[in-house]
Amino acid sequence: YEAKGMDPCQRHILEVSYETLMDAAFTKKQLMRSLIGVYIGAAATEFQHAENCNEGVGTSCAGAITSNRISFCLGLQGPSYTADLGAAASLGSVSMAVNSLRFQTDLYKSNHTAVPGGVNLLLAPQFYVLACAAGFLSPIGRSQTFDVSASGYLRGEGCAACTLSPFAEVVDGVPVKDESRPWHGNISAVYMSHVGSASSMTAPSGPRDTQIIAECVRQAALSPLDIEMSECWGESSILCDAVAVKAVTNALRPDEPETGTYETGTGTVLGLSSVQSGFGYMHESVGMMQLYKVILANKFNVQVPSIHLLELNPHIDAWEGEPLNFHTECVPYKHASAFADLGSKSSSGTLCHLLVWGETDYHKILPRRRWKRDAIAFWPAGGGELPEGAEPMRNYYIVGSWSASEWTEPEPMTQEGDGVYGYTITLGANCFEHFQIWLDGNDQRVLHPGMPYASKNVPVEGPDASDACEGAAWVIDGREPTVLAVPALTDTSSDGDGKALVQASEALYRRAGSPGDQYRVRLHVAGKWRTVDWQLVDPGAAEAASDDGKYYVTASWNGWGFSAMAQDASTPGVYAIDIELAGFGGEFQVVRNKDWHQVFAPSTDGVDTVNGPDSLAGGMSWFIQGRFRQRFRIEFQRTWKDGVESRSLSWQSLS
């Protein structure tokens, strides 16, 4: 009877608490009667307002039971209580858990391990009405943290917990780490406080926030410049966002006292992002999401960005010399380990901040390759010898992104002189071509520049297998794009028979380069020295150039392989393909000549343009909504008139 009327918050936090203890290598037998504390951030549950709430059960909606039930079900005998601190509840619970482990004596040890967590579930509509009436919610349904259009937050829900234990125990005066349990990160400092007397209970306090962050830095015995990233508090309010950023900036990138400008450590950029922009305002569970985000980001050695940031809040002083970077894309850390700051606050004035340290988990990602460059790229007089296997038995071959090659058909180079081999490349419709050089036409013996988008006269590396140098290629690039017209919105219509037709608008571009330009590529070999250069030998005319490329659809229903599109013989520049969905919808892109540098995809700015050709086109793709095994015809049009390019893409249901 009690289980039937149990608050879902209690059920979910019990489940995740047990999972985190299992992840920490505790068994059920070890948990029973163990000194493990439970510190849960939660508030008055919305379940009491739900229609199916069993009000007859006293434990259904009791806040204390949220934490006590975990201790009861798992047999834990450490402290167990629920902290109702609003949006600071999760980090407040972590702060209390850390201090319960840190401040112990020989006579008193409350717990040897702690389980802090937070839970908040959206179970009733009443709080939406109240928050909307108070003006807290965003009218557009987006948490636009740090953005000039920030107008409120989007409500979110979450449930998370973690296991905390001392990083090392002192045995005979020597710190000893318990290697039997997995380790994900280190909490270097915690600080929880209240704003105190302010203009109002809900008003942000930048100076107090700055003091708390500075105390965390002092507590961890660090320099402010050691902190590379801040998971900033951002509730999508013009004022609160600006105050939070200024507080972090004053604490971690302070001005020089004499000049009033930032001088010390110039170049040590502080990355800023906010989890609320992606997960919404999760109230009592937001702090755990911040902690999870920072720890997992450290494992992958990347600073995770915010979303919905298009134009920076004008009240954020980011243009006065402060080295700040508001992440809109993933940015790697400088080193394999890093410190990060994260903080949360409640509407009633409680402030919490943590400093977290983590390192790259090389079981999850491969270490970044560090390119080592020689001081001299090429010595014309020669000297030395190439290592064995670095010369071809027959000839050098060139392979690339043009239509006759498609990265699968290498063509021989012509010997022009002693150690000089040449080949003429004609720029296609995109005004750029990528290429590599293969020894004897073998894709396991590839000469490459060791980097993508390489220019001429860089050192030649290899030979290597094609898998080891994928993406490393030279590029002859003649593009200088300029947008000439703003496209219209997407036009959705029906053909009268219930077959949907979606037509993307056309975008117009003008290029300074000329398709048809011919470049002579030359490989120079002088002893152990090798380099590649090229020069324009026959300028082409853009009006006379024709697109002889082949277009393919790469999609989720074909395993992101290449399905060839057929060219319409009656209408030049029109390519079509009939496809069948493998599920209830699918994503796709258009690729030219099987070259991942020539991907066409929708725009990232919300306007229905056809973007590209580019490398993966920013990760965007079109989505077709349909039934299982429903057939569609996809049509891609790309034409030129008077040097101006026009593109469009559409699809139409066939069944």
Side-chain angles (χ1 to χ4, degrees):
Y1 182 69
E2 183 180 1
K4 181 179 179 180
M6 185 189 300
D7 179 5
C9 291
Q10 298 177 14
R11 184 169 61 250
H12 283 289
I13 195 64
L14 172 61
E15 179 181 355
V16 299
S17 298
Y18 178 69
E19 288 177 348
T20 188
L21 287 167
M22 292 299 102
D23 178 71
F26 284 97
T27 64
K28 283 187 176 182
K29 185 176 181 179
Q30 292 172 330
L31 293 177
M32 188 60 62
R33 290 186 291 278
S34 62
L35 282 179
I36 297 180
V38 179
Y39 307 83
I40 302 300
T45 176
E46 297 183 14
F47 186 57
Q48 58 187 323
H49 301 284
E51 295 181 359
N52 60 344
C53 174
N54 190 340
E55 298 179 356
V57 180
T59 59
S60 294
C61 302
I65 304 300
T66 304
S67 56
N68 297 161
R69 190 182 296 277
I70 300 171
S71 299
F72 170 75
C73 292
L74 301 181
L76 311 180
Q77 295 183 339
S80 178
Y81 56 88
T82 303
D84 185 358
L85 300 174
S90 287
L91 291 193
S93 299
V94 174
S95 177
M96 290 182 284
V98 170
N99 288 331
S100 73
L101 297 171
R102 176 181 292 171
F103 301 112
Q104 297 184 353
T105 67
D106 294 336
L107 300 178
Y108 176 73
K109 292 185 179 181
S110 58
N111 45 247
H112 59 73
T113 302
V115 179
V119 59
N120 172 64
L121 299 180
L122 309 182
L123 304 173
Q126 287 87 340
F127 288 87
Y128 277 99
V129 177
L130 295 174
C132 185
F136 295 151
L137 300 186
S138 169
I140 63 172
R142 295 287 186 275
S143 295
Q144 294 181 287
T145 306
F146 309 139
D147 193 85
V148 67
S149 301
S151 56
Y153 57 76
L154 182 68
R155 295 193 71 201
E157 60 182 1
C159 178
C162 64
T163 302
L164 298 181
S165 60
F167 188 73
E169 297 282 357
V170 178
V171 179
D172 297 331
V174 178
V176 178
K177 181 181 176 183
D178 185 359
E179 300 289 352
S180 65
R181 305 196 185 280
W183 175 85
H184 298 291
N186 179 278
I187 298 178
S188 304
V190 297
Y191 204 101
M192 181 169 63
S193 180
H194 193 274
V195 170
S197 180
S199 58
S200 71
M201 183 173 289
T202 59
S205 176
R208 185 56 183 155
D209 218 356
T210 300
Q211 292 174 1
I212 293 177
I213 301 173
E215 284 296 320
C216 280
V217 174
R218 182 194 61 80
Q219 184 186 133
L222 298 173
S223 163
L225 300 180
D226 291 329
I227 314 301
E228 290 189 46
M229 189 263 183
S230 176
E231 175 54 38
C232 196
W233 180 254
E235 56 186 71
S236 302
S237 164
I238 289 290
L239 174 62
C240 293
D241 290 355
V243 171
V245 171
K246 190 62 177 176
V248 171
T249 305
N250 288 342
L252 300 181
R253 296 298 182 268
D255 295 340
E256 283 292 307
E258 296 181 358
T259 63
T261 60
Y262 179 79
E263 298 289 347
T264 303
T266 299
T268 308
V269 177
L270 177 67
L272 294 172
S273 70
S274 176
V275 74
Q276 286 102 312
S277 66
F279 287 84
Y281 192 84
M282 295 178 289
H283 297 275
E284 292 76 24
S285 60
V286 65
M288 291 306 299
M289 298 304 111
Q290 291 177 305
L291 183 60
Y292 266 66
K293 174 183 174 181
V294 169
I295 289 176
L296 292 176
N298 278 337
K299 281 180 170 291
F300 288 89
N301 194 243
V302 68
Q303 301 177 41
V304 181
S306 303
I307 59 175
H308 307 313
L309 176 56
L310 301 179
E311 182 179 349
L312 196 64
N313 182 342
H315 300 286
I316 296 177
D317 297 328
W319 317 114
E320 298 182 358
E322 291 89 347
L324 304 178
N325 185 11
F326 293 85
H327 295 322
T328 57
E329 61 182 0
C330 290
V331 176
Y333 282 107
K334 291 193 299 183
H335 305 292
S337 63
F339 287 96
D341 161 71
L342 56 144
S344 62
K345 62 185 71 175
S346 70
S347 57
S348 55
T350 302
L351 305 175
C352 292
H353 271 275
L354 271 67
L355 291 185
V356 177
W357 178 83
E359 61 182 357
T360 305
D361 185 353
Y362 288 117
H363 291 94
K364 296 184 179 295
I365 65 170
L366 295 175
R368 294 197 301 270
R369 183 175 180 181
R370 298 184 180 275
W371 304 107
K372 184 178 179 181
R373 295 292 175 195
D374 295 327
I376 300 176
F378 183 71
W379 193 258
E385 295 182 355
L386 287 170
E388 184 177 353
E391 294 183 279
M393 300 295 292
R394 301 189 308 275
N395 196 3
Y396 292 96
Y397 287 71
I398 191 168
V399 65
S401 58
W402 49 92
S403 302
S405 179
E406 290 193 344
W407 293 103
T408 58
E409 299 295 334
E411 302 178 63
M413 303 181 73
T414 304
Q415 185 168 3
E416 299 181 357
D418 188 15
V420 180
Y421 303 83
Y423 181 84
T424 301
I425 292 178
T426 302
L427 294 189
N430 295 330
C431 252
F432 70 91
E433 301 292 351
H434 293 77
F435 67 92
Q436 293 175 334
I437 295 174
W438 294 0
L439 303 186
D440 299 321
N442 186 350
D443 64 353
Q444 298 304 303
R445 304 178 66 198
V446 179
L447 301 183
H448 58 91
M451 65 175 73
Y453 300 98
S455 60
K456 57 185 176 181
N457 297 322
V458 300
V460 177
E461 298 191 8
D464 297 315
S466 57
D467 293 342
C469 58
E470 184 176 1
W474 290 276
V475 59
I476 304 175
D477 198 339
R479 296 172 295 176
E480 292 183 13
T482 303
V483 179
L484 294 182
V486 177
L489 297 176
T490 301
D491 175 30
T492 305
S493 59
S494 175
D495 60 2
D497 297 326
K499 300 178 180 178
L501 176 64
V502 181
Q503 177 70 45
S505 59
E506 298 184 352
L508 302 180
Y509 301 86
R510 187 182 301 279
R511 289 192 302 262
S514 298
D517 289 351
Q518 290 190 336
Y519 287 81
R520 188 65 177 177
V521 176
R522 292 183 175 89
L523 168 66
H524 300 267
V525 181
K528 67 176 183 178
W529 304 96
R530 297 173 299 188
T531 192
V532 172
D533 63 13
W534 54 82
Q535 64 180 19
L536 180 64
V537 293
D538 189 5
E543 293 77 13
S546 61
D547 185 3
D548 59 350
K550 300 176 184 178
Y551 290 85
Y552 300 83
V553 165
T554 178
S556 56
W557 58 78
N558 66 2
W560 297 103
F562 296 107
S563 299
M565 304 184 76
Q567 185 171 2
D568 190 338
S570 60
T571 308
V574 176
Y575 307 84
I577 185 175
D578 295 342
I579 61 97
E580 183 178 87
L581 295 181
F584 296 95
E587 300 177 74
F588 73 95
Q589 296 173 328
V590 175
V591 181
R592 184 177 182 269
N593 291 344
K594 297 183 180 180
D595 181 21
W596 290 110
H597 297 289
Q598 303 186 61
V599 178
F600 295 88
S603 172
T604 59
D605 58 7
V607 181
D608 293 306
T609 60
V610 179
N611 269 11
D614 202 350
S615 177
L616 299 181
M620 300 294 291
S621 59
W622 288 282
F623 183 81
I624 297 180
Q625 181 71 43
R627 305 183 306 274
F628 176 64
R629 302 197 70 176
Q630 184 175 1
R631 300 183 73 250
F632 286 85
R633 171 164 294 173
I634 300 174
E635 187 175 281
F636 176 62
Q637 181 175 359
R638 190 183 188 201
T639 56
W640 286 264
K641 184 177 180 181
D642 298 329
V644 178
E645 180 183 348
S646 173
R647 309 174 190 166
S648 66
L649 186 135
S650 63
W651 60 85
Q652 176 178 334
S653 174
L654 300 179
S655 60

